Every structure is written in structure tokens, then in C-alpha cells.
Amino acid sequence: MRACGTSGASVTVRVPAKVNVQLAVGAARPDGFHDLANVFLAVGLYDEVTAVPADSLRITAEGHDVDQIPLDRTNLAARAAELLAARHGIEPHVHLHIAKDIPVAGGMAGGSADAAGALLACDTLWSTGASREELLEICAELGSDVPFSLVGGAALGRGRGELLTPLPVGGAFHWVFAVADGGLSTPAVYREFDRLTEGTQVPAPEADPELLAALESGDATALAAALANDLQPAALSLRPALTATLDAGTAAGALAALVSGSGPTTAFLVKDAQAAQQVAAALLDSGTCRAVRVADSPAPGATLA
Ligand code: C5P
């Protein structure tokens, strides 16, 4: 019997993007990372990763801006295949094809999604029988956001974001995302955070109980009031033009606007699907972004397609 998601000798996995509804950032740690209280919410924009047996490790990609992603072993998806193979004494001979729909370098964890997708696809293709715990361990080794890409839904990420506690979500939330020109480097945004907070006492990051209650009740107005991103001042400092995008979405009737993660994608929480269409159209008309995307949350984590 063939497992769901496999077709002959190929396996396809679908993985969601994320938005951080709260990103509380602490001071830089000795290892250079920052302790976080990171409330992840998976949103229904997906990359698909297909794994096919091959003579060597190879990556191809299709979709918007794929000229900006590396197709060599520095791609996190390739590293995922290599780490899994090394643990199980397998040669990482696989062709990974990435169909990208998540904005590249946009603060929506597209690279992390591809890593989680490649890991699950290779695990299925190679029948390694890795436990969920082992997969999550490999994800954490790959990057701070990768475990959440595997898990999806909503979760609180502690540590550098990799220590996850699932969170209940009481209803669907509707979003519009404005895609900016070019990407922002996550390390550069954290460095700018350090620069902006230099000489100040950065408080220990804590999840906001009101935000968690808003998620649990499915109350979009309450969630809008609680959205918070400590990286936003740093992203706006590096990309001042994003302020105009945030203002355009708010003027168009979004309940709230914020930078998604380290940016430069901006996220707009709206009250329903109709409002999403209106805000998306107004954002495009405003000329303050390159493209818009509409998506609902929560979305499932990495899933065999
Ligand atoms: O974990 P990941 O490889 O995605 O992190 C990329 C970079 O983002 C890190 O090298 C670090 O500069 C920054 N980062 C951080 N604190 C975190 C997560 C990421 O400083 N909690």
C-alpha cells in the first residue's frame, strides 16, 4: 500500500507560511540569539516540496522570486535532507523540487517551511521511521522557526523560538499580506533591534495573556488590539517605506496592521473574507507594495499532499 502523499517514488509535502501575532524579543544572548516569546500562527499560503530519488542531492524551484533562493547545499531544504540522511546512515541522494507561493525572504518563514517540507518528504521517501521528537530536533537544528513550520496551527515559541507549546485557536482569522520589493535579512533586523535598544534595559519576553485569550476565543477585534512585534521598529528603521504600506492598509479598514516577523512583508488583520478583498484591492491601488495575498488562519503544519 502506498502512503498518502506519495506517487510512485515521489513524495509531496505542503507547508504553510506563518505570521507572528506577538513577537516579544529579549536582549541578545551570549550565543548571539535572542530569547523570545514568539506567538506563531500558521496562515494558508503554502510552499510544496516534492522529493524524488536521484543520483545526487539536487534542488530545483518554481514560483515568484525563486531566482533569489539558493539552489545549492546552502538551501535549508538541502540541509534538512543531509541532516536526516546522516542520522540514518543514508546517502542524501534526492531531487527536491520546491513550488514557492510564500514570499521569499519576507518574514513569513518561507525558507523554514521548505526545510520542514523537505524533512517530512525525505523521511517518508526513505521510510526512516523517525519519531516526531527526532524530526522536531532536526528542525530546531536547522533554524529557530523550522519546528513551527512542521507543527502549524498556533504555538508559543520560547527559547530562540524553537521550544513550542501548542495554543488553542477558537475560530478563523482573516489576513491580507502586502509583499514588498526585495527581502530583509533576519540577522540584519535583529542587529538593528540591538542597535535601537542599546543602553536600554530590554525586558524579559513574555506572552501577553490578552493576546492568548483573543486567539482562544477567535475574537478578531481583541486580537487586533493585542498584535505586537518588537522587531517592527527595527524593520521600519531599515525600510522606512513600509510605514506608508501599514498606513494604507489601516486607512482601507484593516482592524490592525503590523510587520510580519522580521519583514518586509506587512500583515493586515481584517474582520472577514469580504473585508480582505477590499483591503487587498486598496493596498494594490495605493502603490505602496508589489503584490498582495489573502489568507486565513490557522493552517495545518507540514502535511503529505
Ligand atoms: O535560527 P535562524 O537561523 O532562523 O536565525 C537566523 C538569525 O536570526 C540568527 O543568526 C540570529 O542573527 C537571528 N535570530 C536571533 N534570535 C532568534 C532567532 C534568530 O537573533 N531568536
Side-chain angles (χ1 to χ4, degrees):
M1 195 178 75
R2 248 170 24 204
C4 169
T6 67
S7 162
S10 89
V11 179
T12 297
V13 172
R14 195 176 80 143
V15 201
K18 60 83 184 162
V19 63
N20 308 87
V21 286
Q22 186 192 357
L23 184 44
V25 181
R29 311 191 309 201
D31 65 1
F33 284 91
H34 296 70
D35 272 324
L36 305 178
N38 192 350
V39 183
F40 293 103
L41 183 61
V43 299
L45 292 179
Y46 301 94
D47 281 359
E48 277 191 357
V49 182
T50 299
V52 187
D55 294 336
S56 60
L57 179 53
R58 195 160 81 85
I59 299 206
T60 53
E62 64 178 302
H64 284 296
D65 298 329
V66 288
D67 52 320
Q68 290 166 35
I69 63 170
L71 297 179
D72 58 16
R73 293 192 171 204
T74 62
N75 189 302
L76 267 194
R79 292 194 43 220
E82 285 178 330
L83 277 183
L84 181 70
R87 280 188 179 227
H88 291 270
I90 301 167
E91 290 293 343
H93 290 171
V94 64
H95 172 197
L96 296 171
H97 182 71
I98 302 170
K100 279 217 80 70
D101 197 34
I102 303 173
V104 173
M108 298 192 74
S112 300
D114 299 344
L119 187 65
L120 185 56
C122 290
D123 181 58
T124 308
L125 187 69
W126 295 334
S127 304
T128 61
S131 65
R132 191 78 171 163
E133 288 67 33
E134 184 185 346
L135 293 181
L136 284 169
E137 241 175 69
I138 298 174
C139 286
E141 217 173 304
L142 288 163
S144 308
D145 288 349
V146 183
F148 180 71
S149 296
L150 189 72
V151 168
L156 171 61
R158 301 304 313 241
R160 58 185 169 85
E162 85 284 22
L163 306 172
L164 297 177
T165 307
L167 293 172
V169 182
F173 294 102
H174 305 270
W175 298 89
V176 179
F177 296 96
V179 182
D181 268 326
L184 265 179
S185 140
T186 303
V189 175
Y190 275 101
R191 276 197 302 276
E192 184 66 2
F193 171 88
D194 291 340
R195 195 184 68 79
L196 293 175
T197 55
E198 205 175 347
T200 67
Q201 190 68 37
V202 179
E206 291 300 340
D208 173 3
E210 288 184 14
L211 178 122
L212 301 184
L215 271 183
E216 184 162 9
S217 64
D219 182 339
T221 307
L223 183 64
L227 291 175
N229 180 0
D230 286 353
L231 289 182
Q232 181 159 315
L236 294 181
S237 168
L238 296 175
R239 280 292 184 87
L242 294 179
T243 304
T245 319
L246 294 171
D247 291 348
T250 310
L255 298 172
L258 87 169
V259 170
S260 179
S262 56
T265 303
T266 41
F268 303 86
L269 182 59
V270 293
K271 73 172 191 309
D272 54 28
Q274 196 187 343
Q277 294 306 328
Q278 281 163 11
V279 171
L283 276 165
L284 260 191
D285 279 353
S286 74
T288 62
C289 58
R290 180 160 62 88
V292 293
R293 309 298 306 277
V294 167
D296 294 345
S297 61
T303 310
L304 294 169

